[in-house]
Amino acid sequence: IEGSWTTNPTTWDNEYFQNLIHLDWSPHKGPGDAWQFATIDSEDNPMAPAADMKNKSQATMMMTTDISLKNDDKFYDLVQQYAKDLNFLNDVFSYAWYKLTTREM
């Protein structure tokens, strides 16, 4: 599986969640011959910098695990909140990160 989920993969934002819910995704074989997801309408697919070529770009992609977040009612509620409110995502992530990296919880 090869590709980027966002147009600016080294910047913290909620574009991943926005792309997940606002674009329609379809399975296809990626460059590594593994199944992954691309947008149904390729003109709508945001472009990301290519990792292996300077000044080139490639379409964003999703994996099966990403699409499952969109198709599960409980997770989809969270995905919508994260897509809509970056501050909410920041708060939830900071709590989870602290819990993951410390023993003080």
Side-chain angles (χ1 to χ4, degrees):
I1 296 175
E2 299 176 35
S4 178
W5 290 264
T6 66
T7 58
N8 198 351
T10 60
T11 299
W12 174 258
D13 59 20
N14 59 351
E15 182 187 359
Y16 164 81
F17 296 104
Q18 293 172 359
N19 288 348
L20 182 60
I21 65 172
H22 295 303
L23 299 171
D24 293 318
W25 299 91
S26 175
H28 81 102
K29 287 273 189 152
D33 204 35
W35 286 103
Q36 58 192 58
F37 286 77
T39 58
I40 291 173
D41 185 355
S42 60
E43 292 180 12
D44 287 341
N45 198 338
M47 300 302 285
D52 59 346
M53 294 179 280
K54 211 174 206 182
N55 300 322
K56 298 284 184 180
S57 60
Q58 62 188 32
T60 56
M61 63 93 200
M62 294 284 170
M63 298 187 304
T64 303
T65 51
D66 302 312
I67 301 302
S68 70
L69 296 173
K70 187 175 181 176
N71 294 321
D72 181 285
D73 292 338
K74 291 179 183 177
F75 282 115
Y76 189 63
D77 290 341
L78 289 171
V79 168
Q80 287 180 308
Q81 289 177 355
Y82 298 156
K84 184 174 35 175
D85 187 352
L86 179 58
N87 289 326
F88 178 71
L89 174 61
N90 290 342
D91 290 344
V92 171
F93 182 84
S94 67
Y95 174 80
W97 186 257
Y98 181 81
K99 189 174 179 180
L100 179 68
T101 59
T102 68
R103 297 175 62 179
E104 298 178 18
M105 297 303 281

